[in-house]
Amino acid sequence: MSSSRPSLPRLSVPPPIEPQRRAVAYGIVCLTVLVAFLGAYKLGPRAYNWVRQRQLQGHAVYDLSLDPERTLEAAQVKAQREGRKIMVVLGGNWCKWCLSLDDLMRTNEEVRAHLGQHFVVVKLDSAKAKLLDERWGKPTRFGVPVLVFLDAKGNLEHVQETGSLERWAGRILAHDPDRMLRLLKRQS
């Protein structure tokens, strides 16, 4: 009796690559990965910002019909009655960063809850609130949006530029909710 094993098909193995060709192939792969990474690093934020601007476009955050002085007086009455502080946001409807900050304050549940519990929020157009801006030491010199924290009687407690609240050091059009929350907790 002869035992015959079934023959296995022979696998064809490509010939080994010469070391120089292998080095060139690895170099091309590495260069491709590097170019893709740098492209994503540069183009990623631009694409995100383009979409984000389209989302924010057309929002009217700052009511131009409001009288800044009267609005602040009403906020002081409300803050005293409810035992809260006042946070004034100076900005403009033309400002993409102002719209982004407002979006964070409206859509982030933690930020919105903390604001609602501890602050009366007043949003004023910086061009219309020039007298208040001067009274508070020209906080708009930092740019807009700028946050002005007042006690319930309207006394200035703190001015906060918002560039430090931006994500990726301003490379993408968004504010960091954690930084915003830390600021609000320090000021409440």
Side-chain angles (χ1 to χ4, degrees):
M1 247 179 151
S2 72
S3 74
S4 64
R5 291 186 170 173
S7 64
L8 297 174
R10 279 204 139 214
L11 299 174
S12 65
V13 178
I17 300 176
E18 298 170 23
Q20 291 173 336
R21 282 188 167 175
R22 184 179 309 153
V24 169
Y26 285 146
I28 290 172
V29 168
C30 290
L31 186 61
T32 303
V33 168
L34 181 64
V35 167
F37 176 76
L38 290 175
Y41 182 78
K42 279 294 196 183
L43 297 177
R46 287 185 182 164
Y48 173 86
N49 290 345
W50 184 82
V51 170
R52 182 92 167 114
Q53 263 185 291
R54 297 301 171 278
Q55 291 171 341
L56 297 173
Q57 211 169 26
H59 291 279
V61 174
Y62 303 91
D63 187 348
L64 300 177
S65 68
L66 293 178
D67 178 318
E69 295 279 343
R70 286 187 182 150
T71 304
L72 184 59
E73 288 169 7
Q76 288 172 344
V77 169
K78 184 175 182 177
Q80 288 174 3
R81 184 178 63 237
E82 298 175 4
R84 296 190 284 165
K85 292 185 174 186
I86 301 167
M87 184 181 83
V88 179
V89 184
L90 293 173
N93 291 325
W94 50 269
C95 168
K96 63 185 178 183
W97 289 103
C98 300
L99 301 177
S100 173
L101 182 64
D102 181 70
D103 187 60
L104 172 71
M105 293 188 312
R106 283 183 304 106
T107 60
N108 185 285
E109 290 184 32
E110 287 181 88
V111 171
R112 188 176 64 232
H114 195 84
L115 283 170
Q117 186 176 5
H118 298 282
F119 296 97
V120 173
V121 178
V122 178
K123 299 171 190 171
L124 298 175
D125 182 77
S126 59
K128 287 199 70 179
K130 288 205 181 288
L131 292 175
L132 293 174
D133 187 35
E134 288 178 24
R135 184 186 312 161
W136 296 326
K138 298 285 276 168
T140 56
R141 71 183 179 279
F142 297 117
V144 292
V146 65
L147 305 175
V148 180
F149 293 92
L150 310 170
D151 65 15
K153 294 180 181 177
N155 299 314
L156 180 65
E157 290 190 341
H158 181 70
V159 172
Q160 178 67 46
E161 51 74 38
T162 56
S164 61
L165 303 175
E166 295 169 2
R167 284 192 171 168
W168 279 29
R171 286 193 63 233
I172 63 171
L173 184 55
H175 291 84
D176 188 294
D178 295 329
R179 287 187 217 151
M180 181 69 172
L181 212 48
R182 281 194 302 271
L183 169 68
L184 295 175
K185 288 178 180 178
R186 278 194 315 266
Q187 296 307 316
S188 51

